[in-house]
């Protein structure tokens, strides 16, 4: 059984952990790695996005609170 929606993950008792993959730019030279991460509250995600929201689309909806 594959879990594809937030509601299915919540019902299965999943925990969602995220980390920033980018970081702020240092001029135009390079990107410093941001090491910020945390755990998302799956119940709040279900309340705000709905049970049928695809987990695959979460990445495009998130923004790092430290580096933006």
């Amino acid at each position: 059984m594959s879990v594809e929606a937030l509601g299915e993950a919540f019902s299965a008792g999943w925990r969602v952990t995220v980390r920033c993959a980018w970081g702020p730019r240092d001029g135009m030279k390079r990107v410093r790695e941001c090491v910020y991460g945390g755990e998302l509250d799956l119940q709040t995600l279900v309340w705000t996005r709905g049970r049928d929201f695809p987990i695959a689309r979460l990445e495009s909806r998130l923004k790092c609170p430290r580096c933006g």
Side-chain angles (χ1 to χ4, degrees), residues 18-62:
V18 295
R19 73 173 179 85
C20 182
W22 301 105
R25 292 211 176 269
D26 185 14
M28 295 299 287
K29 297 179 184 173
R30 62 188 172 102
V31 177
R32 292 185 306 236
E33 184 178 340
C34 179
V35 294
Y36 187 71
E39 187 172 331
L40 298 179
D41 182 15
L42 201 52
Q43 183 176 12
T44 301
L45 287 172
V46 170
W47 274 77
T48 57
R49 301 290 179 215
R51 292 187 62 82
D52 296 328
F53 189 84
I55 294 173
R57 289 185 50 202
L58 268 181
E59 180 184 1
S60 66
R61 303 286 188 187
L62 299 175

